[in-house]
Amino acid sequence: ARLLGARRVVGSAGTRAKADWLVAELGFDAAFVHRDGPVAEQLAAAAPDGVDVVVDNVGGDHLEAAIGALRERGRIAWAGAISQYNAASPPAAPRNLFDLVEKSGRLEGFLVSRHRDAQGELEAFLTPHLRQGTVRDPLTVTEGFDHVVDAFLGMLRGANTGKAVVRVAS
Ligand SMILES: NC(=O)c1ccc[n+]([C@@H]2O[C@H](COP(=O)([O-])OP(=O)(O)OC[C@H]3O[C@@H](n4cnc5c(N)ncnc54)[C@H](OP(=O)(O)O)[C@@H]3O)[C@@H](O)[C@H]2O)c1
């Protein structure tokens, strides 16, 4: 985000260790622990001037907090709702959708498979940064096809730190 012009970058993570890692290792300006208290309050404290751009993979309280903190003409790319995949009833949040009208905000679904045409552009942009280490791609690797289910359930519990992947062959 910073490479593309963001002045301040804020993240959310499930443990203090992960939040500290976002700041110390991955270059975030601030990060809060979403299990420590209301997300809206924590986001407002971390971004007191509001936010212009959000990438949300969580849904529910995170999406509601993002809409609440959005500045005028802000944009939200909504890519996932991991807080809701196991829900037995429809989610209660976000309750503040009308804020988008008042702010002329934009909430747009994002599915990576719809953007294959941008793959070359992405690779040209990211590859030098990955080589130089200005962008990092941490992985949490589980070994073996037999452990796919363990890795999946662990990912839902937040046991992974980097992106959860399973190596099924060398
Ligand atoms: N739109 C697309 O094209 C696309 C493609 C791939 C994935 N996704 C979405 O992206 C999200 C992440 O998937 P991934 O495969 O990349 O997983 P991942 O980043 O490897 O790990 C998922 C992380 O989500 C966090 N989490 C779990 N339950 C949560 C909750 N209730 N509230 C907040 N955070 C929670 C955990 O971290 P903490 O311990 O920090 O909470 C966990 O480590 C999912 O919503 C997935 O559906 C979207």
Side-chain angles (χ1 to χ4, degrees):
R2 200 191 321 286
L3 290 169
L4 292 170
R7 184 167 49 87
R8 181 171 168 79
V9 182
V10 174
S12 164
T15 63
R16 173 47 54 196
K18 284 188 188 181
D20 289 347
W21 177 71
L22 291 180
V23 175
E25 298 288 330
L26 299 191
F28 283 66
D29 295 292
F32 58 84
V33 183
H34 61 77
R35 298 181 207 280
D36 276 1
V39 174
E41 287 175 20
Q42 297 199 76
L43 178 58
D49 297 334
V51 295
D52 295 299
V53 178
V54 177
V55 177
D56 179 38
N57 273 318
V58 179
D61 55 355
H62 280 71
L63 181 57
E64 187 171 291
I67 293 170
L70 205 66
R71 284 155 60 94
E72 200 175 306
R73 297 197 181 276
R75 293 171 292 153
I76 302 173
W78 190 13
I82 200 163
S83 67
Q84 294 167 7
Y85 295 149
N86 284 333
S89 54
R95 297 163 295 181
N96 55 352
L97 272 178
F98 189 71
D99 280 14
L100 291 171
V101 176
E102 294 178 331
K103 297 174 178 182
S104 298
R106 181 140 55 104
L107 172 63
E108 185 170 353
F110 176 87
L111 208 52
V112 69
S113 53
R114 294 244 165 82
H115 297 274
R116 296 277 183 228
D117 56 327
Q119 185 168 344
E121 187 186 344
L122 174 76
E123 288 175 0
F125 174 73
L126 270 187
T127 303
H129 289 297
L130 288 167
R131 289 209 170 109
Q132 290 159 21
T134 38
V135 172
R136 288 169 54 190
D137 183 26
L139 301 177
T140 297
V141 182
T142 301
E143 295 290 343
F145 187 80
D146 291 347
H147 296 114
V148 164
V149 173
D150 300 334
F152 183 71
L153 294 177
M155 182 272 290
L156 290 176
R157 281 193 298 266
N160 59 314
T161 301
K163 180 162 180 67
V165 297
V166 178
R167 193 195 322 269
V168 296
S170 58

